[in-house]
Amino acid sequence: MTPNIAPWLAVRDAQAAVDFYGAAFGAGVLYRLDGDTVTIAVARLAIGSAEFWVQDDADASPEGRRAPPVRLILSVEDPDAVFDQAVAAGAAIVAPIHEEYGWRSGRVTDPFGHDWEISRQLT
């Protein structure tokens, strides 16, 4: 087994999060556990080979948060297209796509309060 790190995101509505991440980033569902009172309790998603989890948590809310303590970096071939797709799906722009420090990147906040830096290293 190769060690890896997979973020686990607490969200107020896991079904809405799964739908958003699919529309915004093309994420597919690898695993899904339905709950008693919610459609999805936990789901493991993948964007290409990058995996992450979402968990339904009634207490999770983007309201009242200062800067999130974690930023997710999504490295993709075409950051411009993925950035535009995420914004069209409902993400808020934090920093538009730009080139700096050898990277082409932009940052968005998803509807659940998580920051995503969408980037590609320049050669």
Side-chain angles (χ1 to χ4, degrees):
M1 177 178 172
T2 303
N4 66 70
I5 295 175
W8 185 287
L9 307 177
V11 297
R12 182 167 278 178
D13 182 341
Q15 182 63 59
V18 167
D19 294 343
F20 171 80
Y21 296 133
F25 306 128
V29 177
L30 301 177
Y31 170 83
R32 173 185 168 135
L33 174 65
D34 291 336
D36 294 334
T37 60
V38 295
T39 306
I40 296 176
V42 174
R44 183 175 73 185
L45 307 175
I47 303 167
S49 63
E51 295 182 10
F52 64 105
W53 295 75
V54 295
Q55 172 191 357
D56 197 87
D57 181 346
D59 295 327
S61 171
E63 291 88 30
R65 285 189 187 173
R66 291 178 274 131
V70 174
R71 182 184 313 166
L72 300 153
I73 299 175
L74 177 58
S75 296
V76 294
E77 185 65 35
D78 187 353
D80 296 80
V82 175
F83 183 91
D84 291 343
Q85 185 174 317
V87 171
I93 297 172
V94 175
I97 292 284
H98 62 285
E99 291 184 9
E100 187 174 37
Y101 306 116
W103 289 82
R104 180 156 184 80
S105 64
R107 186 167 18 136
V108 298
T109 301
D110 69 30
F112 312 96
H114 302 287
D115 274 12
W116 293 78
E117 189 164 312
I118 303 164
S119 62
R120 181 172 78 83
Q121 189 170 17
L122 302 172
T123 54

